[in-house]
Amino acid sequence: MAFHRAPGRHRRPTRVHRRSASLAGVAGLATVGVMGSFASPAGAAASGSPQPESQPDIGGTDGGGTDVGPARTVVLGDSLADSLTDQASSQAGAAAEAVAAEQADERARAEAAAKKKRQAEARKEAAEKARQVRAAEEQRAARAAEAKRAAAAGYVSPVEGSYVSTQYGAGGGMWSSGTHTGIDFHASSGTSVRSVAAGEVVEAGWGGAYGNNVVVRHADGTYTQYGHLSSLAVSTGQHVAPGQQVGLSGSTGNSQGPHLHFEARGGPDYGSDIDPVSYLRQHGVKL
C-alpha cells in the first residue's frame, strides 16, 4: 500500500515557496526596524526633539496586538510641529521685547534732552533776570548819587528819577500864553514832589489853570512853581529845605493827565518865566 501525505497545511513547502517567504520576512523586519528607528528614544534624542508620550493603540497592529511604525511616526510629527511653534512664538516675543526696550530707550533719551534744554533755558532766564536786577540797582545808585551831589550843591530835581515829557516853550492851544511856560515831568498820580532848593512858601492852594499849586521863593530872588498837584504838604509862609516834599503829583486844573508842571521865574509875576532846564542845570541838576 502506498503511503499518502495528508493534504492541507502540513504539506512541506517547495524550495521556491520557501525562498519567497524568507524574502518577505526579511522585508517585513526591515520595515519594522526603520519605523522603529524613527520612533525609538535613541533616534529622538539624537535629533534633539522631545520624546513623545506613549500613545494608545489606534489600530495599527500586525494581528498580534503589537504597534507598528506609522502610528508612532504621526505622533512624532505632531510633537515636532508643536516644538517649532513654541520656538517661533518665543522668538517673536523676544523680538517684541527688544523693540519695546529700544522705544523706551528713545523716549528716555528724548526726555533727557528736553530736560537738559529746559535747564539751559532756566539758567539763561535766571542770568537775564540777574542782569536786569543789577542794571536797575546801578541806575538807582546813580540817581541816588546824583541827588546827593545836587543836594550838596543846594538843588535837586523836583521828581526823583523822572524825565521831562513836555519841553519849555512848546506851542499849543492848551496854554493861555500860546506857549508852554514851564516843563512837564512824567509822574503818576501820588508821586512825591520836592522843592528844588531851600526857600519860603509864598503860595499854597488853588491856582486856577495850575490847579493845586505851590510857589517857593529862593534866596537868589528866583521863584519855582509846582502845579496840578493832587494834594499839598506845605502851607504859605513855611520854610522848606532842598528836597523837602511840598505835595503829591496829580491832574488838577488845566491838565489832561497826571504829571508835574514845573516853572522857574525871575520874579513873582506871571510872564517872568525862564527855561527851567537851564535853571536846574546851572545849579548842578542833571536832567
Side-chain angles (χ1 to χ4, degrees), residues 32-123:
V32 172
V34 171
M35 294 304 176
S37 67
F38 277 113
S40 65
S47 65
S49 300
Q51 292 294 323
E53 297 177 359
S54 61
Q55 300 294 325
D57 184 6
I58 58 175
T61 62
D62 60 358
T66 60
D67 293 339
V68 296
R72 291 191 177 183
T73 302
V74 172
V75 173
L76 178 60
D78 291 343
S79 177
L80 181 59
D82 291 342
S83 177
L84 293 175
T85 300
D86 293 341
Q87 183 178 4
S89 298
S90 176
Q91 291 175 349
E97 291 178 358
V99 171
E102 179 62 23
Q103 292 175 346
D105 290 342
E106 290 180 357
R107 288 194 297 269
R109 288 192 293 269
E111 291 175 357
K115 182 179 179 181
K116 185 177 181 180
K117 182 178 179 181
R118 290 193 300 269
Q119 291 175 343
E121 291 176 349
R123 288 193 296 270

Side-chain angles (χ1 to χ4, degrees), residues 119-142:
Q119 291 175 343
E121 291 176 349
R123 288 193 296 270
K124 183 177 179 181
E125 183 178 356
E128 177 61 20
K129 287 183 178 179
R131 187 195 66 78
Q132 293 177 356
V133 169
R134 288 194 301 270
E137 290 177 350
E138 290 173 357
Q139 291 177 356
R140 284 194 295 269

